[in-house]
Amino acid sequence: MASSPSVVLSSPPTSKDGSRFIDSNYLQKQSHVPANFKWPEEDAASAQEELNAPVVDLEGFFNGDVVATENAAKLIRSSCLRHGFFQVTNHRVDADLIQLAYDHVDDFFNLPIEEKIKVQRRPGSPYGYSGGPDKIVADYFKFTISKDFEQTGLVYQKYSEAMHSLSLSIMELLAIGLGVDRMLYREFFEDAVSIMRTNLYPTCQEPNLSLGTGPHCDPNALTILHQDLVGGLDVFVDNKWHKVRPVLGALVINIGDVFAALSNGIYRSCLHRAAVNSHKERRSLVFFMCPRADKVVKPAEELVRKSEGGTRKFPDFTWSDLLEFTQNHYRVNETTLENFTDWFLSADRSNFKPTHFKTSH
């Protein structure tokens, strides 16, 4: 039986210099944004238009309806060719479980700062705890925070398992859309080691100067986001920021760099961010699907043949290789894979300097 070991990260707003543990209550009381939480104007510019992200109904897929499955795969393919973001409904993740997860998020973020700082992420790590057996999420809350949060751990364990199951279903649809064996990616990610993250974005009196999370691309394979109805997810397409409209009951999905490599660059991950506002705090639950650390990431041969020039765009690599690069050498953006390739193939990685840049924002 496949397992879905996960990692938990609880994250306050992001500062430009990487500072993390500043109490959200403190931030909300400030009439001006602290200097290290201000972002450049081009990064914090407001999104004015809505992203054209399809809402894909998964009911037919789960019921074995061939036509509905093909239609869902086509919608996902068209989205991934453009920006890699889409939303899904009838995803079979229990709404009561989602609400329960938020209830426990509130319990955690309402703790005193001296309690929250106990799970501060370590330098060079995207999370507070990594690897391990099936009950790692439950044990993490129980033993790292306190026994009072044992139930929280059980809730997040169940939530992570539900996300893992949904991720494998999405992998089938991605495979159908790319024209490869339907089970190719489901089997590849069956033993995935993933990351679970919770976010609280406090209100900000100067939202045009700050961000909840700065512009970035996801280095993992697939991301599943549940955002509350406050909104705040923006995606950079056609040289401008677009809002992703919250849809009641839907989950937002986007592909990351690992899947872009598996598709041989046919699909690309897209720059996105989390905006803040002055009237209501925002919460979100994020699940990042990652391959097992030692699995080799390489595209199917038929995708190489379909690609422009019929050649490989990126070398074989493992998730641990890419994670080392993004955590220790490079901040993820639209050119992560190109710069990672240069670093990975370099004879002198310690003196690596990026040579690929984007100047569109």
Side-chain angles (χ1 to χ4, degrees):
M1 181 178 178
S3 62
S4 175
S6 301
V7 186
V8 179
L9 169 64
S10 296
S11 173
T14 302
S15 63
K16 202 185 151 192
D17 64 4
S19 301
R20 284 275 172 180
F21 277 88
I22 293 182
D23 195 353
S24 57
N25 291 327
Y26 166 82
L27 289 175
Q28 292 184 90
K29 294 174 183 177
Q30 304 307 302
S31 58
H32 298 287
V33 176
N36 61 332
F37 278 80
K38 290 183 179 180
W39 283 81
E41 183 178 348
E42 62 271 21
D43 289 332
S46 298
Q48 302 299 325
E49 299 179 21
E50 186 176 308
L51 181 71
N52 182 19
V55 179
V56 183
D57 187 341
L58 298 182
E59 186 68 25
F61 166 80
F62 284 121
N63 289 336
D65 185 318
V66 175
V67 174
T69 297
E70 288 290 341
N71 288 338
K74 288 178 181 177
L75 281 174
I76 291 172
R77 175 181 172 82
S78 66
S79 173
C80 290
L81 288 171
R82 181 142 172 71
H83 47 62
F85 277 78
F86 54 97
Q87 303 199 51
V88 296
T89 57
N90 291 315
H91 41 66
R92 298 198 172 178
V93 178
D94 188 351
D96 290 338
L97 176 61
I98 295 173
Q99 183 56 54
L100 192 58
Y102 275 118
D103 292 342
H104 284 273
V105 166
D106 293 340
D107 289 342
F108 175 79
F109 283 116
N110 286 332
L111 287 173
I113 187 64
E114 59 268 18
E115 291 297 317
K116 287 184 282 192
I117 205 169
K118 290 180 180 178
V119 292
Q120 184 173 8
R121 80 175 190 181
R122 295 186 293 265
S125 171
Y127 33 69
Y129 195 88
S130 63
D134 284 353
K135 297 303 179 186
I136 186 173
V137 176
D139 289 346
Y140 175 72
F141 276 96
K142 180 180 179 180
F143 297 115
T144 305
I145 304 177
S146 79
K147 289 184 178 180
D148 294 338
F149 281 84
E150 182 175 4
Q151 188 61 37
T152 300
L154 294 173
V155 168
Y156 276 88
Q157 183 71 40
K158 189 173 182 180
Y159 187 91
S160 296
E161 290 167 356
M163 290 296 109
H164 177 75
S165 178
L166 175 60
S167 296
L168 295 180
S169 296
I170 298 300
M171 286 298 167
E172 286 190 47
L173 290 166
L174 286 167
I176 294 169
L178 283 169
V180 298
D181 184 271
R182 175 171 175 157
M183 302 304 289
L184 178 65
Y185 303 129
R186 170 180 274 275
E187 293 173 355
F188 184 82
F189 289 101
E190 192 73 46
D191 55 358
V193 179
S194 303
I195 301 169
M196 178 67 207
R197 175 173 177 163
T198 67
N199 291 310
L200 171 68
Y201 302 109
T203 56
C204 175
Q205 298 309 307
E206 296 179 307
N208 59 316
L209 299 179
S210 187
L211 293 169
T213 302
H216 66 285
C217 293
D218 293 341
N220 54 295
L222 191 77
T223 302
I224 303 180
L225 166 76
H226 187 278
Q227 58 174 343
D228 60 19
L229 296 179
V230 175
L233 173 63
D234 297 337
V235 179
F236 196 75
V237 182
D238 295 333
N239 294 326
K240 55 188 173 183
W241 290 104
H242 295 72
K243 303 175 184 178
V244 177
R245 176 176 58 88
V247 175
L248 183 65
L251 294 166
V252 182
I253 297 179
N254 67 277
I255 61 170
D257 288 326
V258 166
F259 198 86
L262 285 172
S263 75
N264 201 40
I266 295 175
Y267 295 166
R268 297 303 303 259
S269 57
C270 195
L271 199 71
H272 55 285
R273 68 182 187 184
V276 291
N277 66 77
S278 60
H279 57 277
K280 191 171 183 179
E281 67 181 21
R282 174 177 179 258
R283 302 168 303 163
S284 65
L285 306 169
V286 198
F287 179 85
F288 301 95
M289 172 175 261
C290 316
R292 198 182 67 211
D294 60 349
K295 273 200 168 177
V296 177
V297 176
K298 59 185 297 186
E301 286 300 322
E302 53 261 55
L303 294 182
V304 176
R305 292 193 294 269
K306 290 179 182 178
S307 301
E308 184 179 350
T311 59
R312 288 282 300 275
K313 299 296 188 292
F314 314 105
D316 290 359
F317 64 90
T318 65
W319 170 240
S320 60
D321 294 325
L322 183 58
L323 191 61
E324 179 189 350
F325 178 69
T326 58
Q327 291 302 305
N328 299 314
H329 303 282
Y330 192 77
R331 185 178 174 207
V332 285
N333 61 16
E334 310 101 307
T335 59
T336 296
L337 282 176
E338 288 79 6
N339 284 303
F340 166 72
T341 297
D342 291 348
W343 172 83
F344 188 68
L345 300 177
S346 173
D348 185 9
R349 294 181 179 179
S350 61
N351 292 317
F352 168 77
K353 293 183 179 180
T355 57
H356 301 274
F357 303 96
K358 286 283 187 179
T359 58
S360 57
H361 64 93

